[in-house]
Amino acid sequence: MVMEWSTQSAPPAQRFDLWREACSQHVYALTPHRRTRDPFQGTIARRQLGSLDVTDIVCDGHLVQRREQDIGDSPSDTYYVYLQRRGQAWFEQQGQRCVAEPGDIVIADPNIAFSTGTDGTFDFRLWRMNRAGLEPLLALRPGELPMRRLGRDQAARALMANWLDALLHHQADLSAQALELACRTLYALVADAVGASAAQREPARLARRRALLQRVMSQTELRSSDMALTPERVASECGLSLRSLHQLFELSEHSFHEFLTRTRLARAHALLRDPSARHVGTAEIGFAVGFKETSTFYRRFRQRYGDAPGAFRKAHAGAVERESTAVS
């Protein structure tokens, strides 16, 4: 469930004060400042994913401080991963300044005072992790983690961003156990990026491999309709050797070829259920999702779903029609 909050329904003169209260409730105790008297606009969307708290914020630009007084009044039991979605934002902490560009990630401890602002609009996603879950993985002691920016050219950022995207995309399909494993993998990726303790170096290496596998899977899903897609091409595009790619899939239940086939079949399954695609023949659907041979598509589809594509489409259309008749 997503909790959504907006300034839109509040009287213009009260919006910024209400925004300050909402940030303290849904983010951290902060001290916002704004010079202009123009009506303020801001939205917050918050959800829980296992042990992770995910908050999306879009609002007019202003200065935000988390002062020592704010920390003393309301210390946080989390660390956070900040993902810049659009525009730029700057951060200052302990005399250091960094600028986050779209796609950049900033990892930080909210119990170390900082300031942030933007000349445009704030548009970011905040992933908050329990301190109790992350601190045992870190080489640094509590209170010693400075802000770390992971730029778009850094491999650690690409792996972490892809893992976070996949976690949001697949959350509805994850069991509680799988979700907890995904959260632990994120914690290990964060620890690896900022400095993992000696005891956590092997778990961090495994987390990197899981995240790299997810990146390969995402790339394969995007390109699955390409009939010429091969493991060699995917490996090259992901900066891997062919052997390394196949070794990554040892972490999965399926080989590369099995994963590619199942991805294509899932897309065919969705198209056969889609009323807007009824004019497209079953053979054409097979070609559209990446199968070179109609016979291979039909055989694989029957093995996966227990029926031929045409019979599956007819049965689904009949079921939808009967349901519609019953409702009317």
Side-chain angles (χ1 to χ4, degrees):
M1 177 182 292
V2 179
M3 183 290 303
E4 295 182 340
W5 185 91
S6 172
T7 59
Q8 190 62 39
S9 60
Q14 299 176 17
R15 288 178 183 175
F16 194 67
D17 289 337
L18 292 174
W19 178 256
R20 183 184 292 108
E21 295 175 10
C23 287
S24 295
Q25 179 181 353
H26 297 295
V27 187
Y28 299 112
L30 301 167
T31 303
H33 303 276
R34 192 165 185 254
R35 294 176 180 174
T36 178
R37 294 182 178 274
D38 295 339
F40 182 81
Q41 300 286 347
T43 61
I44 297 173
R46 182 179 176 185
R47 75 200 82 179
Q48 197 72 30
L49 293 182
S51 61
L52 300 172
D53 181 287
V54 187
T55 304
D56 293 343
I57 292 181
V58 180
C59 67
D60 293 336
H62 58 290
L63 173 65
V64 180
Q65 294 177 303
R66 181 151 163 87
R67 307 167 303 164
E68 295 291 352
Q69 180 180 335
D70 298 320
I71 296 168
D73 291 342
S74 182
S76 174
D77 60 358
T78 68
Y79 289 88
Y80 66 83
V81 174
Y82 172 107
L83 173 64
Q84 186 74 18
R85 297 196 296 181
R86 291 187 303 159
Q88 290 183 339
W90 57 263
F91 296 88
E92 288 185 353
Q93 185 184 73
Q94 298 179 331
Q96 301 296 316
R97 183 183 176 96
C98 72
V99 176
E101 303 279 353
D104 286 357
I105 283 175
V106 177
I107 300 169
D109 178 354
N111 287 345
I112 302 177
F114 67 89
S115 299
T116 182
T118 176
D119 293 331
T121 299
F122 274 121
D123 189 341
F124 62 91
R125 174 168 292 151
L126 203 65
W127 299 75
R128 287 182 286 188
M129 307 165 289
N130 292 336
R131 299 181 80 86
L134 183 60
E135 282 181 347
L137 312 184
L138 300 177
L140 296 169
R141 292 180 297 180
E144 293 184 350
L145 175 64
M147 281 190 176
R148 298 286 180 88
R149 182 184 73 87
L150 304 180
R152 289 163 294 176
D153 58 339
Q154 294 178 258
R157 186 219 68 89
L159 288 180
M160 196 177 300
N162 187 264
W163 188 261
L164 293 172
D165 285 345
L167 184 53
L168 275 180
H169 181 70
H170 296 293
Q171 58 174 305
D173 303 321
L174 295 176
S175 65
Q177 183 178 6
L179 180 58
E180 185 54 34
L181 175 60
C183 292
R184 290 202 305 269
T185 298
L186 174 62
Y187 281 38
L189 287 172
V190 170
D192 186 55
V194 301
S197 66
Q200 292 300 319
R201 286 172 188 163
E202 182 57 29
R205 187 189 73 84
L206 179 58
R208 287 197 304 272
R209 292 191 69 217
R210 286 198 187 108
L212 186 54
L213 172 62
Q214 180 58 53
R215 185 183 176 199
V216 170
M217 286 179 165
S218 297
Q219 185 72 6
T220 303
E221 288 175 335
L222 288 173
R223 303 282 304 282
S224 63
S225 59
D226 182 356
M227 292 183 185
L229 188 66
T230 64
E232 289 83 0
R233 285 179 61 183
V234 174
S236 177
E237 291 170 3
C238 293
L240 299 169
S241 68
L242 181 60
R243 182 169 180 269
S244 295
L245 181 140
H246 287 307
Q247 286 177 332
L248 282 178
F249 275 88
E250 292 175 4
L251 297 173
S252 171
E253 298 176 353
H254 309 288
S255 67
F256 172 86
H257 289 291
E258 289 170 341
F259 176 77
L260 177 58
T261 297
R262 290 172 72 92
T263 299
R264 288 169 170 168
L265 289 173
R267 292 193 170 178
H269 184 271
L271 285 171
L272 290 167
R273 291 168 56 93
D274 186 352
S276 67
R278 285 180 183 172
H279 66 286
V280 183
T282 55
E284 292 175 88
I285 285 178
F287 292 136
V289 300
F291 286 95
K292 292 181 180 179
E293 302 291 339
T294 302
S295 58
T296 301
F297 169 52
Y298 285 4
R299 183 177 69 256
R300 295 292 193 188
F301 192 92
R302 183 187 291 274
Q303 289 172 346
R304 180 78 176 92
Y305 298 109
D307 217 340
F312 172 84
R313 170 185 267 174
K314 185 176 181 180
H316 176 71
V320 170
E321 185 175 343
R322 288 191 297 273
E323 183 177 324
S324 177
T325 301
V327 170
S328 61

